Amino acid sequence: MKRIFATLILLVCCSFMIVAQTTVTGKITDKTYKEGLISATVSIKGTTEGVLTDFDGNFELKTKKEPPFTLLISYVGFRTQEVEITENKQEVKLSLEEDAAVIEEVVIEGSRISEKTKEAPQTIESLDIIAIKETPAANFYDGLGNLKGVDLTTASMGFTVINTRGFNSTSPVRSLQIIDGVDNQAPGLNFSLGNFLGSPELDVQKVDLVVGANSAYYGPNAFNGVI
């Protein structure tokens, strides 16, 4: 008799627990593209209870907490929203808006020469965009031969070598050529090939030629100057 009574009490308690459970279902989508959000967080406000949405954005939350309570819907890159749950088996369909933050443009500049070094007297010969167009030479690279202290040596067809500071060689092993801050040295040859494989004239805005001792600021490879 006692066993029957205990069994009845257990069944009543289980029935009470089942009745007390609250179930909330729904779907979370992207407001712009109308697609389900995968792994969006659906949690009860003020508690640690919650679930994640599936591949299609659907979720099912079961809790012992009785309505009313508030759900927090959050997803990375989207605005967190709150939904009030007022009844059991309530269905939630919610579209999240993107949380876009507009920031100002950030420009990072770097130079291997300090500002103090740039203030020192330097011997720089230049060809600006007008001089490049008006040079009487066949191309802008040959036009550098008209600058002060610059000698041109034709090593082979289409391969012109620039020499400065009194040096004269068919291999510019001590001249450094930089295009937009990048060393134009040929792998395996250990020297620049001039403009043989360089930039076309239409892409060049300005050419600076650093001669004299100031070229040492660019390293030992710039002993004969920097282009």
Side-chain angles (χ1 to χ4, degrees):
M1 189 67 182
K2 292 182 179 180
R3 291 182 180 179
I4 296 175
F5 183 71
T7 303
L8 291 175
I9 294 177
L10 182 60
L11 290 175
V12 171
C13 292
C14 292
S15 300
F16 179 78
M17 292 177 62
I18 294 173
V19 173
Q21 190 177 53
T22 302
T23 302
V24 181
T25 59
K27 184 174 184 178
I28 309 301
T29 59
D30 182 354
K31 188 174 182 179
T32 303
Y33 301 102
K34 309 300 181 183
E35 296 180 352
L37 295 178
I38 307 171
S39 298
T41 303
V42 181
S43 60
I44 300 176
K45 186 176 182 179
T47 68
T48 58
E49 293 185 70
V51 294
L52 298 177
T53 57
D54 60 13
F55 186 81
D56 297 320
N58 299 315
F59 73 92
E60 182 179 9
L61 175 63
K62 295 183 178 180
T63 177
K64 296 179 181 180
K65 192 176 182 65
E66 296 182 0
F69 55 85
T70 303
L71 290 183
L72 291 178
I73 315 297
S74 61
Y75 193 75
V76 177
F78 291 78
R79 296 180 182 177
T80 301
Q81 295 190 25
E82 297 184 0
V83 178
E84 189 71 20
I85 303 301
T86 57
E87 59 183 10
N88 188 16
K89 297 184 180 180
Q90 182 174 337
E91 185 177 1
V92 176
K93 291 185 178 181
L94 186 65
S95 297
L96 298 183
E97 297 180 356
E98 293 184 2
D99 188 9
V102 180
I103 61 175
E104 297 181 359
E105 181 180 3
V106 178
V107 180
I108 301 176
E109 297 181 353
S111 175
R112 64 188 301 171
I113 302 178
S114 64
E115 295 297 329
K116 185 176 181 180
T117 303
K118 291 180 180 179
E119 294 175 358
Q122 291 182 335
T123 303
I124 301 178
E125 299 292 333
S126 298
L127 281 179
D128 58 13
I129 190 170
I130 297 178
I132 291 174
K133 292 181 178 180
E134 295 180 350
T135 180
N139 53 68
F140 78 94
Y141 204 82
D142 292 340
L144 294 175
N146 298 322
L147 300 177
K148 182 178 62 177
V150 179
D151 294 326
L152 291 181
T153 301
T154 302
S156 63
M157 183 177 179
F159 182 25
T160 302
V161 178
I162 292 181
N163 293 284
T164 61
R165 297 186 61 188
F167 295 95
N168 193 354
S169 172
T170 58
S171 298
V173 293
R174 292 184 175 181
S175 295
L176 180 63
Q177 182 170 304
I178 299 175
I179 300 178
D180 289 340
V182 180
D183 190 354
N184 196 33
Q185 187 178 98
L189 299 179
N190 296 326
F191 62 86
S192 300
L193 294 176
N195 201 48
F196 185 70
L197 297 173
S199 301
E201 187 170 320
L202 293 176
D203 293 339
V204 179
Q205 183 178 10
K206 186 180 180 182
V207 181
D208 290 330
L209 182 59
V210 182
V211 298
N214 289 307
S215 62
Y217 290 127
Y218 291 86
N221 292 334
F223 184 78
N224 195 19
V226 179
I227 307 168

